[in-house]
Amino acid sequence: LDQVPLWGDEKIRDFHARWYFPANATLYVVGEFDATTEQVEKMIEDAFNEAAPSPWAMQAESPLARHEVRPPVKHAYGVPLEERKEIEAQLHRMMEEKIEDPYQPFVANEGKPQMFQHEHLTHASFNIFSKLPIIPMEKLGDLHRTVLQRIALLVLQSRIQSRYSETNADYKRVELDHSDSAREGCTVTTVTVTCEPREWEFALQVAVEEARRLQKCGLTRGELARFTAAMMRDSEQLAQQAGCIPSLENLDFVMEHDALGHVVMDQVEGHESLLLLNKYITLESVNEAAAELLGFIAEYGCDSETRDPRSGLTTAIVACVPTTTTDVETDQVVRFDITSEDVVRVLSADYGEIEPMEDVDVPDSLIPDNELEAMIQEKQPKLESATFDEATGVYQRRLSNNVRVNYKQLDAEPGSAFLRLVVPGGRSHEPLDAGADGIGSAAVGLRTLQEAGTVGAWDRKQIELLTMQNLLVFDVEPEMEYLYLDAAFAVEGGLRTILEIIHLLIEKPNWEETALERVKDIYRMFELNTTKNLELTTHDAINKVMYGDRRFMDPSRAELAALTVEGVAKAVEMQFSNGPIEVNIVGDLIPEEVDTLITQVLGTISKTKENKNVPVMAAPIPLSLKDVPKDDPLREQRQWLRDSDDRACAVMAGRGPSMWAPMRIPERDSAQVEEEGGFAFIDDIDPVNVLAQANGNPYALQSARRKNPLATYIAGMLLSEVVGGRLFTTVRDALGLTYDCNFTLSFGLQNSDATTYRLLVTSTPAKIDEALAAGIRVLRGFQHQRVSQRELDRARNTLLARHETDLKSNHYWADLMQCSSLENLAEHKTIKCITELPLMYEACTVDDLHEVYDCLGLGEGEIFTAITVAGENESVAEKREEIEEDDFASSASNSSFKSIGEDVMAAAAAKLGVALGGGVNIAEALSKLKIDQEGK
């Protein structure tokens, strides 16, 4: 930034003239037009034909001719032997003829590891690169080569990750990529291995061994069939969704392919081209592509005589590793010593004879038809109730075993669907103490099931390959009041597979000791990451002071150590079997097929409690917030985080309203007559939102609106949007104290009052105290400068627009339907809430927002603050001397707050010539006042 003032007007004009002229521009137009292609082209010609360079363009240093796509770069390529010879011969000719070409590449030497160590890193990451020239995709042969390379990489990634999962509990992950980069002007193949520091040699060894195995021995026929089918399914689904892809994504796609010199095809044309190539995707062709593509890592360190002539070279290796690690035996932090020579040794070592991979038998389904038929005959599943809500298009089903299913047809994402399983219980049913099935058991247990990756009689590899074929990805998450599973998949094949996974997870879960240890290790890593992350450690400080027990937080190392496989199994299976579960499905569905599948697969799950030998789940211990004395020093925390950069983060928190809290309906004096922003009184008693009433909104009347169970949630969401706007324009724009400032209300709990609000501010160490104080002033300022109608309208429009956009998403509809048939979890939520949501947004008034605002604990002795300062020196974290008394930070009851606040706002309003209550954002007034004062 210190260079910017040195740029003179002439330099800036010359730069603009040299680059920004019509001949150097490319116009991309993507989207739906109310015109033909010819008409659009005519409009473009009419608009740009007369466009001319700037007046001083002729004086620029370069001619007004179209520039090359990118500036000259001499690339060092790691190409195979024959291409190396060609490049070297070309360079020799150019030297003899004394020709200079700024774009002429040269051959790279094999890259050596570059080491980067930092104390805040917790994992070791090894990035191995091979840079190659871009080959424009112009013909089917070019597409064929790309497809073969993609299959080879998918197989290699699957093999490496499978071996990682079969070994010990330590975290290990591999990512592979081979892609063209328009920005860099080259193609890069990348292998990235991330692991626990103590496992780095083994993790790299596995990646090298599997690369060598695939290069030497090739794929199995089963792998070729499965991965080709998965890629075809992926392409087919993309073609089906061609009309639903946002224009911005299509624009990025077109611009990237155009810059790379590729033929630009839309999703349908791309899939049709892929179908033409299907019969040419043979085992021999994929093996040839693998041998050429993977040589850079498989033969790292080999000399030119022993290297496969098709193999490329590694052009760079970057290792990002921590400075310390944890000793396995002593659990003590020790220095992590690693050198570039160590990395070279592991990558180039001889690991003995490489054996071909054995093929894996992948089932068509996880519950064979004959087994399913036997269960149907035994349990006679049926739909106990079936309803359809016309307003939302949601089908609701209750099966004979009490499983609840909500589903909706949505063609916004053709060929695909999304599912969410909700199991009431969650972490609120965990004990408060450590033990085999103690605190953390439900959370750790659920993740252990996923980490094991096996269900029923099927092993992890079989499950992985079956889910891959059906484009199925699923994840689990433990919440405070329920456990849930989310899955996205291709409807054909994928719907049955995910329903079978749910069936087997509940009926025949597989519990593995190694999976439990891997999950414990992930929790330990996250704990370590939290202590090294600025925002996470600040939130963690608040959590420890505010919450009444540790169920709101991740289990500690001691609590993790106490958990056993038997204990976590008991905790999870008890929740699976102690009440109705709910399944929500949204996507390109056929109702008759869904009804058949859910009846057969979910309907044959054993009835809860009665038919299973599990204990009855006791009522949960209530979730609560701590009762912290007003003068407790823990209400104001400050901590230091060692870092190479000076940064700071502050969090302010307090009590907030619960999601389903009833909103107060005030008793009115019948003689009272008022009019306030946006509403008046009917019969002088019940206020009405006039605009909403004019639009026929049934919740225009205050009494009707506030009786709706969504009242507090809707007003809270609008209030959060308004508060966020004021924080941004005041603390960031007007005062320049922060680069990020946001406000949230935690509406996640269904049946608990342990809800909070959070204010997050990030800034520099020098400004963080001032930024936090300014944020607190903004929050407390709503007591004296009410939400304006303009602010409410802006927030309403934002949230309604977001709601309309999100209604095209499968995931969002699952959010809306979730818990609507679980009266034991969310008694107030029904399918009607989905249609009432936009109506409540439209009818909400300023008074409603202030009802929620009044529920926020903002007074003295009610708020909690934590400031974390990061830097090289701990002295930057010491609380700076107070320059002046900040009366704005006092409580609402303090008269000085009101007087000073009103004085400043009145002065700002006077400067702008507006009334104090006129609805102009106070940040704009303060900003103008500040500029005027600086001018004086």
Side-chain angles (χ1 to χ4, degrees), residues 786-898:
R786 287 168 61 84
V787 175
S788 70
Q789 189 63 38
R790 177 178 145 192
E791 287 176 312
L792 173 56
D793 290 341
R794 187 188 299 124
R796 189 188 344 260
N797 292 337
T798 299
L799 294 180
L800 282 171
R802 189 180 303 159
H803 174 70
E804 285 299 317
T805 301
D806 290 345
L807 284 176
K808 300 174 184 177
S809 158
N810 291 341
H811 188 286
Y812 184 63
W813 269 100
D815 285 342
L816 294 174
M817 296 190 304
Q818 175 184 320
C819 300
S820 60
S821 57
L822 292 175
E823 62 280 351
N824 61 326
L825 178 59
E827 65 173 309
H828 299 295
K829 186 170 183 180
T830 65
I831 283 298
K832 282 180 58 181
C833 290
I834 299 176
T835 52
E836 291 168 349
L837 188 76
L839 295 172
M840 289 290 288
Y841 274 133
E842 291 166 358
C844 202
T845 66
V846 169
D847 260 6
D848 296 337
L849 268 63
H850 278 272
E851 283 292 325
V852 172
Y853 177 81
D854 290 341
C855 297
L856 304 180
L858 290 167
E860 287 299 323
E862 292 186 291
I863 67 172
F864 297 82
T865 62
I867 294 176
T868 305
V869 176
E872 291 279 8
N873 194 328
E874 189 170 0
S875 63
V876 299
E878 295 175 2
K879 191 167 184 179
R880 62 181 176 82
E881 292 295 324
E882 294 293 338
I883 298 173
E884 58 183 355
E885 187 70 18
D886 189 357
D887 290 316
F888 273 113
S890 63
S891 70
S893 61
N894 192 326
S895 61
S896 63
F897 171 83
K898 184 174 180 181

Side-chain angles (χ1 to χ4, degrees), residues 144-145 147-153 155 214-215 218-220 223-224 227-228 231 280-294:
H144 182 241
R145 180 191 65 253
V147 169
L148 300 180
Q149 291 171 336
R150 182 180 174 188
I151 292 174
L153 286 181
V155 171
L214 190 55
Q215 186 201 32
L219 286 72
T220 66
E223 286 176 325
L224 176 65
F227 282 89
T228 302
M231 191 170 57
Y280 301 106
I281 302 174
T282 63
L283 194 62
E284 294 74 20
S285 61
V286 177
N287 289 342
E288 178 73 20
E292 178 184 345
L293 182 66
L294 303 178

Side-chain angles (χ1 to χ4, degrees), residues 72-88:
V73 176
K74 284 186 176 293
H75 286 294
Y77 290 135
V79 292
L81 181 61
E82 288 303 316
E83 293 177 50
R84 255 178 276 162
K85 291 179 179 178
E86 291 179 13
I87 292 175
E88 289 168 348

Side-chain angles (χ1 to χ4, degrees), residues 486-516:
D486 276 358
F489 50 91
V491 175
E492 186 180 349
L495 178 56
R496 173 165 175 166
T497 299
I498 188 58
L499 294 179
E500 289 176 335
I501 288 174
I502 292 172
H503 178 111
L504 293 173
L505 278 176
I506 295 174
E507 293 285 275
K508 300 177 181 179
N510 292 334
W511 298 97
E512 296 180 359
E513 187 76 43
T514 55
L516 174 62

Side-chain angles (χ1 to χ4, degrees), residues 654-724:
R655 290 180 180 271
S658 62
M659 180 174 183
W660 302 106
M663 187 175 283
R664 183 181 67 94
I665 302 176
E667 294 182 6
R668 299 278 186 173
D669 183 349
S670 60
Q672 184 182 19
V673 179
E674 292 184 30
E675 288 194 6
E676 295 184 40
F679 66 85
F681 284 72
I682 283 187
D683 296 330
D684 302 333
I685 297 175
D686 199 0
V688 62
N689 183 326
V690 176
L691 183 59
Q693 185 186 48
N695 293 330
N697 191 311
Y699 301 108
L701 278 175
Q702 184 188 82
S703 57
R705 185 171 61 255
R706 294 192 177 184
K707 286 177 184 176
N708 189 292
L710 286 171
T712 297
Y713 171 76
I714 293 295
M717 294 297 290
L718 288 165
L719 178 64
S720 297
E721 195 73 24
V722 171
V723 172

